[in-house]
Amino acid sequence: MSTMCVKRAFKYRFYPTDAQAVELSRTFGCVRKVYNMALAARTEAWARQERVNYNQTSAMLTAWKKTEELAFLNDVSSVPLQQCLRHLQTAFTNFFGKRAKYPRFKSRKKSRRSAEYTTSGFRFRDGKLTLAKMTEPLDIVWSRPLPQGATPSTVTVSQDAAGRWFVSMLCDDPGVKPLPAADTAIGVDVGLDHLLTLSTGEKVANLRHERRDRARLAKAQRELSRKARGSNNRAKARRKVARVHARIVDRRRDHLHKLTTRLVRENQTLVIEDLTVRTMVRNRSLARAISDAAWAEFRSLLEYKAAWYGREVIAVDRFFPSSRLCSQCGALQDKMPLHVRTWTCDSCGTTHDRDVNAAKNLLAAGLAVTVCGAGVRPQRSTPGGQSATKQKPSQREP
C-alpha cells in the first residue's frame, strides 16, 4: 500500500527557564510591533493607491533597526520578525483573493502570543531544540515521538492566555498510509440533544463541556470583575479564568479527535450537512450551546483526516430537507417544528426518530450525488468557506 508524505505539526508543552521566558516574551512583543508597523505602512500606501510587497517591508525592517527608537529590534532573532512579514503578505494575498477580510492590527492584550522560527533560527539535535539567542535547549515534554528521522522545517513557539507554553514543530510525516478500502458509508446528522446521530441509529452523547464547568467559570469571572484594572490581582484572576477555558477546550478537542478518528477508520464515505455555524450562532438563545458543540471544528477534523487516509467526505446542500423527508417512502412533510422529535409519515405510516431519519436521508443524498453529481456542495477549501444554512439545533440551552 502506497504512503503519502504530509506536512504535520506536532505540538508539545514546554517549561522555559526565567531567562528563556523573558527572551520569548520580548520576541513576541517585537513580532507584534513589526507586524503592526508594516500593516500601517501598507495601509497608508494603499490609501495612496500604491502597493507594498514583502520585499519592501523587509527593507523597511532593516531601516527600522538602524533607528535609535527601534534599536531594540536587534536584541531578538531576526527570523521571527521576517516570518511575521511573510504572514502579513499571506494575509494580503488572501484579502485580494477575496478569501479573507482586510488584515487587522495585533492587540497587546487579545492577540495570540507566538513567534515562528525557520531552520536558520533554531537547532534540533539529539532530540533537543535550541532557539536562536538562547544557550540552553527548551525543556520539552515529549508526549509522543516525532516521525522516525524527521527534522522540523519550522518551529512555532506560543503562550496561551492561561500562561502555558507550547512549541509546534512542522515535519514531513511519511508514515501516513491510506486505510484499506471499505464498503461502508454513513450519514452524520449533528445536533444539541445528541452531538451526532448516525444513519445506523447510533447516537453520540453531547458531553456539554462548557456547561459542566459553567459554575466554576462564572465564579472565576465574578472574581475577575471585582479586581482593579491594571492591578496584579486582576492579572492573576484573568489567568484563572483562562485556565478554566483551557480545560474546557482541551476536553472538547480530545473528544472530537477520538470521535472523528473512529468515524474515518470505520467508514469509506461520510456524508454530512453543509452547516454554517457562523450564521447559526446569531441565534442568541442557542449560540452558547452551538459553540460548545463545536460543529465547525468537528467538520474540519473530519475532512483533513479523511484526506489523509483515503476517505471521502460529502457535504449535502444546506437546503436539502433532511428532517422533513420520509426515508422510507420519500414523502415530504409540509412542516417540521424543532420541538417535534418523533413523527409518523402520513403516506406510509412509518414512525421516525427525527435525527435518525435526517441522517438516513443525508446518506441517501450523498450516495446519489456520487452517481448524478447534483444536490451536494463541494468540500471547503478554506476554514472560512462555509455558506449560509437553515437552523439545525433541536432544543433551547438553559
Side-chain angles (χ1 to χ4, degrees):
M1 183 176 295
S2 62
T3 62
M4 57 183 296
C5 187
V6 300
K7 287 286 188 180
R8 190 172 183 178
F10 293 82
K11 189 174 182 179
Y12 304 93
R13 188 171 180 181
F14 74 96
Y15 296 87
T17 63
D18 292 341
Q20 289 173 339
V22 170
E23 176 65 26
L24 289 173
S25 296
R26 184 186 299 119
T27 301
F28 295 159
C30 291
V31 166
R32 182 180 64 252
K33 179 70 173 179
V34 170
Y35 184 94
N36 287 342
M37 292 176 63
L39 176 55
R42 296 185 67 150
T43 301
E44 293 172 1
W46 178 255
R48 300 191 302 268
Q49 297 185 347
E50 300 176 4
R51 284 204 179 184
V52 176
N53 57 25
Y54 162 75
N55 291 331
Q56 291 169 292
T57 55
S58 181
M60 291 179 186
L61 175 59
T62 302
W64 292 336
K65 287 183 175 182
K66 295 178 181 179
T67 64
E68 181 179 356
E69 181 183 1
L70 299 174
F72 62 86
L73 296 177
N74 294 290
D75 297 336
V76 301
S77 172
S78 62
V79 176
L81 304 184
Q82 293 289 346
Q83 285 300 103
C84 83
L85 296 180
R86 292 189 176 94
H87 294 165
L88 180 61
Q89 177 64 35
T90 301
F92 271 100
T93 300
N94 291 333
F95 167 69
F96 291 129
K98 298 182 179 181
R99 295 184 296 272
K101 295 182 179 180
Y102 193 83
R104 295 183 298 179
F105 290 96
K106 291 183 179 294
S107 167
R108 181 177 182 179
K109 294 183 178 179
K110 297 181 180 180
S111 297
R112 180 170 181 258
R113 292 165 54 85
S114 66
E116 183 178 272
Y117 295 79
T118 56
T119 51
S120 60
F122 65 87
R123 183 175 68 252
F124 185 72
R125 294 178 184 172
D126 302 325
K128 295 184 178 181
L129 177 67
T130 306
L131 301 178
K133 299 285 186 178
M134 295 185 185
T135 57
E136 299 179 3
L138 300 181
D139 182 14
I140 300 175
V141 179
W142 297 100
S143 53
R144 56 175 173 167
L146 289 175
Q148 186 69 27
T151 301
S153 57
T154 62
V155 169
T156 302
V157 182
S158 60
Q159 185 185 27
D160 66 5
R164 303 179 299 178
W165 295 85
F166 295 95
V167 58
S168 180
M169 305 182 189
L170 186 65
C171 306
D172 289 323
D173 188 359
V176 176
K177 301 179 181 180
L179 295 170
D183 58 356
T184 54
I186 197 167
V188 182
D189 182 70
V190 297
L192 297 181
D193 281 336
H194 296 87
L195 181 62
L196 302 179
T197 301
L198 309 182
S199 56
T200 58
E202 178 186 354
K203 294 188 176 184
V204 179
N206 184 0
L207 301 183
R208 304 178 188 273
H209 301 282
E210 186 271 339
R211 194 165 72 174
R212 289 169 59 186
D213 274 351
R214 188 171 297 175
R216 180 182 299 180
L217 179 61
K219 180 180 179 182
Q221 289 172 332
R222 284 196 301 270
E223 293 176 354
L224 173 63
S225 67
R226 299 188 185 105
K227 307 302 180 183
R229 292 187 178 276
S231 66
N232 290 333
N233 284 337
R234 186 176 179 85
K236 293 178 182 179
R238 182 196 56 77
R239 285 192 294 270
K240 188 174 181 180
V241 173
R243 283 195 293 269
V244 179
H245 279 296
R247 169 186 168 92
I248 295 170
V249 171
D250 289 347
R251 291 188 305 178
R252 180 190 297 128
R253 184 174 293 122
D254 178 70
H255 178 60
L256 290 178
H257 268 296
K258 293 176 180 177
L259 185 58
T260 51
T261 298
R262 178 174 75 87
L263 292 175
V264 168
R265 284 178 177 173
E266 295 177 353
N267 302 279
Q268 180 67 35
T269 303
L270 303 105
V271 184
I272 59 177
E273 193 171 8
D274 189 23
L275 299 177
T276 300
V277 179
R278 185 181 304 175
T279 301
M280 298 171 70
V281 294
R282 294 175 183 173
N283 184 333
R284 298 172 64 180
S285 63
L286 292 167
R288 195 175 206 172
I290 294 173
S291 299
D292 193 20
W295 294 337
E297 185 174 6
F298 165 77
R299 176 174 176 174
S300 177
L301 296 178
L302 194 68
E303 287 181 343
Y304 87 72
K305 291 180 182 181
W308 279 4
Y309 298 110
R311 303 312 201 196
E312 183 181 16
V313 176
I314 300 175
V316 175
D317 188 274
R318 63 185 182 272
F319 295 116
F320 179 68
S322 58
S323 298
R324 296 189 292 116
L325 191 66
C326 176
S327 59
Q328 197 71 21
C329 67
L332 184 64
Q333 304 297 309
D334 293 334
K335 295 181 179 180
M336 188 65 61
L338 287 176
H339 68 271
V340 176
R341 308 316 306 164
T342 59
W343 58 279
T344 302
C345 178
D346 297 332
S347 298
C348 64
T350 305
T351 301
H352 295 289
D353 179 286
R354 178 194 183 104
D355 298 329
V356 175
N357 178 69
K360 291 180 179 179
N361 286 325
L362 290 174
L363 175 60
L367 295 180
V369 77
T370 61
V371 178
C372 65
V376 172
R377 291 182 179 272
Q379 295 185 32
R380 298 170 294 170
S381 58
T382 60
Q386 296 173 304
S387 56
T389 183
K390 62 186 178 181
Q391 286 192 350
K392 185 66 184 174
S394 59
Q395 69 171 25
R396 296 177 66 90
E397 176 72 1

